Amino acid sequence: MRHALPYARAGQVIGLLGGSFDPAHEGHVHITKAALKRFGLDRVWWLVSPANPLKPVGPAPIEKRMEHARQVMLHPRVEVTDIERHLGTTYTAEMLDRLHQIYPGVTFVWLMGADNLKQFHHWQNWQGILATTPIGVIARPGQRIAARTSVAASIFERARVPARASHLLGRIGTPAWCFVNVPMNDASSTEIRNAGAWRRD
């Protein structure tokens, strides 16, 4: 299995952006480029998930989503992967535990939009994720206040890294999380599908 996973060496700080990418779009690209710069990341891996257990309707076949993602995300420091499929994990906490075991000495930074921070406390073992993995939160339209006043933000307020020190996020230990504002891009996979620009079959 190890040969099917991306390469990383000890000492690197790698951002992880997970999702169904159904389809990948310029909003994902925008967040990724901002994360590389603001959080001082060496690389970013897109984690294209086999399926989201919280969604009743399944996404397009993973091969189709990965092929499209690679066409959309053209950057030498970004890799599109299907890590979850190879690991056989379902939840983020479970997958991160496995990655920490497989890549000793590598620091992973979990990337999310501010809308995800708002409901992060509903994720399985969310406090365990924060205890082992720095989290980089990127502002998206209309979610700034809700994210900053979320359950997770309140409980882990002392672990918050100021935006001015965001480049240190992956180098100061855990728990640590950082909220940064970036120019907005409101592209949406749902809107793309609803417009008929992406077919799941």
Side-chain angles (χ1 to χ4, degrees):
M1 180 189 69
R2 181 65 183 84
H3 69 278
L5 302 180
Y7 171 77
R9 66 177 183 273
Q12 286 188 314
V13 179
I14 296 182
L16 303 174
L17 183 65
S20 59
F21 296 96
D22 188 34
H25 52 68
E26 285 303 314
H28 297 126
V29 174
H30 176 72
I31 286 176
T32 301
K33 290 181 177 179
L36 278 166
K37 179 179 179 180
R38 296 296 300 274
F39 298 128
L41 306 174
D42 295 306
R43 299 184 65 80
V44 170
W45 296 349
W46 279 15
L47 311 182
V48 182
S49 61
N52 186 334
L54 302 179
K55 294 184 179 180
V57 179
I62 192 169
E63 291 80 8
K64 177 178 181 178
R65 289 181 283 129
M66 288 187 62
E67 180 181 359
H68 180 72
R70 288 181 175 127
Q71 294 172 357
V72 170
M73 185 70 256
L74 301 174
H75 194 287
R77 290 162 55 202
V78 180
E79 187 164 355
V80 176
T81 79
D82 56 348
I83 285 175
E84 287 181 89
R85 178 163 63 164
H86 290 290
L87 296 181
T89 55
T90 301
Y91 297 100
T92 299
E94 181 185 10
M95 178 192 62
L96 288 172
D97 284 345
R98 293 291 306 280
L99 289 180
H100 290 311
Q101 294 170 7
I102 295 170
Y103 295 94
V106 174
T107 298
F108 292 104
V109 174
W110 185 258
L111 304 173
M112 65 168 65
D115 53 333
N116 279 322
L117 183 63
K118 183 174 64 173
Q119 47 86 40
F120 184 54
H121 62 286
H122 294 302
W123 291 27
Q124 185 188 69
N125 194 22
W126 68 274
Q127 295 198 41
I129 294 174
L130 263 167
T132 61
T133 309
I135 295 182
V137 184
I138 300 173
R140 294 187 64 187
Q143 299 289 347
R144 296 181 182 183
I145 294 177
R148 286 174 170 165
T149 59
S150 67
V151 172
S154 298
I155 292 177
F156 282 86
E157 175 60 31
R158 292 188 177 183
R160 181 175 177 178
V161 177
R164 64 180 179 276
S166 61
H167 61 287
L168 299 175
L169 179 62
R171 295 172 170 82
I172 58 176
T174 54
W177 66 281
C178 184
F179 184 103
V180 297
N181 293 312
V182 298
M184 294 301 179
N185 184 308
D186 59 359
S188 162
S189 294
T190 300
E191 292 180 4
I192 292 172
R193 292 195 302 269
N194 290 343
W198 174 256
R199 292 179 59 87
R200 282 176 159 165
D201 52 13

